[in-house]
Amino acid sequence: MLHAEVTGPRGAGSGDLDALVGEEHTRVETPCCTFCGHAGSITLTDEEFADLEAGAAIQDAAGRLPRAVREQFISGIHTECWDSLFGDLED
C-alpha cells in the first residue's frame, strides 16, 4: 500500500505542479534515497494514484511524469542525487 496524502487543487505558481491545477491530486511518499538518506514525495493525480493502487506500473499509470521522477517513485533516488553521481538521467 502506498503512503499518500490527498490534497486539493493547487493554484498558479506551484512550479512543476502547474499541470495539476484544477485537479484533485495525491502526494505520495517515496522511499528514502540511498545516497542522501532523505525521504521524498511525488504528486500524482487521483486517477494516476488509483491506477497504481490497482497494480499498474508507474510508467503506465503516470507516463506524463519525467523518467527521473518515476525513478524516484521506484527507488527513492532523488534526481539531484542521481545527476551528481551518474550524470543526467534524461540523457
Side-chain angles (χ1 to χ4, degrees), residues 70-82:
R70 296 191 314 257
E71 179 60 35
Q72 180 180 338
F73 175 80
I74 295 166
S75 67
I77 299 171
H78 301 112
T79 303
E80 300 81 15
C81 293
W82 182 281

Side-chain angles (χ1 to χ4, degrees), residues 2 28-31 42 44 52 58 68-77:
L2 301 173
V28 178
E29 291 182 12
T30 60
I42 64 169
L44 302 169
L52 285 170
I58 186 71
V69 175
R70 296 191 314 257
E71 179 60 35
Q72 180 180 338
F73 175 80
I74 295 166
S75 67
I77 299 171

Side-chain angles (χ1 to χ4, degrees), residues 42-45 48-49 51-52 56-66 70:
I42 64 169
T43 301
L44 302 169
T45 66
E48 291 166 341
F49 182 75
D51 289 347
L52 285 170
I58 186 71
Q59 68 269 18
D60 297 329
R64 69 168 179 86
L65 294 174
R70 296 191 314 257

Side-chain angles (χ1 to χ4, degrees), residues 16-67:
D16 64 335
L17 302 179
D18 285 340
L20 301 178
V21 170
E23 291 186 45
E24 293 295 317
H25 53 275
T26 305
R27 182 160 298 267
V28 178
E29 291 182 12
T30 60
C32 286
C33 178
T34 56
F35 296 109
C36 71
H38 293 242
S41 64
I42 64 169
T43 301
L44 302 169
T45 66
D46 286 351
E47 181 180 348
E48 291 166 341
F49 182 75
D51 289 347
L52 285 170
E53 285 281 278
I58 186 71
Q59 68 269 18
D60 297 329
R64 69 168 179 86
L65 294 174
R67 189 170 66 172

